Amino acid sequence: MKVPIGITTLHLSQKSALLLLLAVGLLGFGGYDYVQQSQAVDNAVAVQATITDARVDRMEGGRGIDYEPEIRYTYQYQGETYTSEQVFPSTGVRTYSDRSRAESVVESYEPGATTRAYVSPADPNDAFLVRERTPWPLRAIAIGGFLSVIGVLAGLGAKSPGQQELRPASEVQPAPRETWVDSHGETVHRLSKQGLGVCFVGFWLSLVALVFGLLNTTGGFGGPPQEIQAELLGPVGLSMLAGFSFWVGMVLSLCLYGVWSFTEYRQLRQRLSASKPPSPFRHPSRLVTILGTGDGDLSEYGQRVRLTGWVLLIAAGMTATLAYLLYTAS
């Protein structure tokens, strides 16, 4: 598929087209919800509301258990009585993975108590209690923007990068300078793979230990949800500390493997013909295209670029996930 944009043309594969379609959907929905929330917050009129019910609803889905603060209240606006369950001025439902955070929202609203609600004069049916924007629209816009950049880079990239054939190693003069990784490549390769395997198994074992520790703390399945006070040197605390350590170990092992793989890529690049293509690691459009290409359609050189790129991306993603969890937990 060819899509003309200004002075250039995007050459989109089916995967790239679907990726851009998803990106446009996220950008559109996120932008629409952000505008709706902004208008609701800016134009809302305060009214008195009476709480009729306030509780935390447990929701089980494909990604685990979430908790939704569910508050029902009645209010009057211009002589009419309305009922609403909306807490935030968002078109979506805001849930929490931590029950205590959902309870902190509900605890301010006791049944029978009066509180302040906010009504949009243009649509008095949609009142809300908390006059602040939810983070979901900006997250959707950020994800949509990231996916659109990936899709555009894939469309701008060369049609078939990573297919260059290599000259025989005997025809290539060795590099005049060797790094420590060059001279100890086999050791680095072996240690990175062994470290990744050990940390991967250890991480999942620590999760199993964490589950058993939680079951012993809460008394097993079927009981009401409880707030857990975990000691650092107790079963739950040690399991979490071990899981954190193994996760960091996997990131470090991936980085070590990525360094070795990048060194291998540099050695293979020396075996390309005199008219070498631009380096994929300096031209993101070429790298994105190679990352989305199957191994069967790549030469040895292209497969090394693809493996190196994915390893470094996974390490960066795991690091970002860890940073996000530490930030939300603080």
Side-chain angles (χ1 to χ4, degrees):
M1 179 188 300
K2 296 182 179 180
V3 180
I5 299 180
I7 61 175
T8 187
T9 300
L10 296 182
H11 299 271
L12 298 177
S13 63
Q14 185 177 5
K15 292 181 181 179
S16 299
L18 292 176
L19 190 65
L20 278 178
L21 185 62
L22 175 61
V24 170
L26 287 172
L27 287 171
F29 183 78
Y32 172 79
D33 198 23
Y34 182 81
V35 171
Q36 289 292 103
Q37 290 192 46
S38 298
Q39 292 178 348
V41 170
D42 295 338
N43 302 328
V45 177
V47 296
Q48 183 171 301
T50 301
I51 306 298
T52 59
D53 188 26
R55 57 191 174 90
V56 174
D57 189 19
R58 178 184 172 121
M59 304 173 62
E60 297 187 12
R63 65 174 189 174
I65 299 176
D66 288 329
Y67 300 94
E68 176 192 357
E70 193 169 287
I71 304 172
R72 182 186 294 269
Y73 54 94
T74 61
Y75 60 95
Q76 288 188 345
Y77 181 73
Q78 293 185 346
E80 296 289 336
T81 301
Y82 300 91
T83 300
S84 178
E85 297 180 356
Q86 193 165 326
V87 180
F88 299 95
S90 173
T91 55
V93 177
R94 184 171 184 178
T95 60
Y96 300 89
S97 58
D98 186 359
R99 183 182 179 89
S100 62
R101 296 184 64 186
E103 290 177 342
S104 67
V105 176
V106 173
E107 65 185 8
S108 302
Y109 303 97
E110 293 289 338
T114 59
T115 188
R116 180 179 296 177
Y118 300 92
V119 180
S120 172
D123 191 3
N125 286 299
D126 291 333
F128 55 91
L129 296 175
V130 182
R131 196 172 187 174
E132 65 180 35
R133 301 177 183 86
T134 61
W136 154 245
L138 293 180
R139 292 176 182 174
I141 292 173
I143 296 174
F146 175 76
L147 295 180
S148 63
V149 170
I150 297 298
V152 170
L153 288 176
L156 291 175
K159 293 183 180 179
S160 55
Q163 298 182 5
Q164 293 79 11
E165 295 299 329
L166 301 173
R167 293 180 292 167
S170 58
E171 298 180 8
V172 181
Q173 295 183 353
R177 294 176 55 189
E178 284 192 351
T179 64
W180 184 88
V181 178
D182 290 324
S183 57
H184 298 81
E186 293 184 3
T187 302
V188 174
H189 183 213
R190 184 180 69 257
L191 290 178
S192 62
K193 293 182 68 174
Q194 290 177 351
L196 182 61
V198 170
C199 291
F200 180 81
V201 174
F203 175 75
W204 287 106
L205 289 177
S206 66
L207 289 187
V208 173
L210 176 61
V211 171
F212 281 103
L214 292 174
L215 290 178
N216 290 332
T217 302
T218 59
F221 293 107
Q226 303 176 18
E227 184 176 351
I228 301 173
Q229 299 291 338
E231 297 181 359
L232 181 61
L233 298 181
V236 175
L238 288 176
S239 299
M240 295 179 65
L241 184 60
F244 172 81
S245 301
F246 285 126
W247 186 275
V248 173
M250 284 192 288
V251 173
L252 295 177
S253 298
L254 284 171
C255 291
L256 188 61
Y257 185 90
V259 171
W260 169 84
S261 187
F262 186 80
T263 301
E264 292 292 304
Y265 149 78
R266 289 194 308 164
Q267 294 177 356
L268 291 176
R269 187 168 175 79
Q270 294 176 5
R271 295 169 53 188
L272 295 176
S273 60
S275 57
K276 295 180 181 179
S279 171
F281 294 100
R282 295 183 179 180
H283 295 76
S285 61
R286 299 182 69 89
L287 179 60
V288 168
T289 303
I290 293 175
L291 291 178
T293 306
D295 282 344
D297 297 326
L298 297 172
S299 66
E300 182 183 357
Y301 167 78
Q303 291 177 12
R304 177 54 58 189
V305 171
R306 184 175 185 268
L307 179 60
T308 305
W310 275 117
V311 166
L312 296 178
L313 280 177
I314 293 172
M318 293 179 66
T319 303
T321 301
L322 182 62
Y324 175 77
L325 292 176
L326 293 175
Y327 173 76
T328 55
S330 61

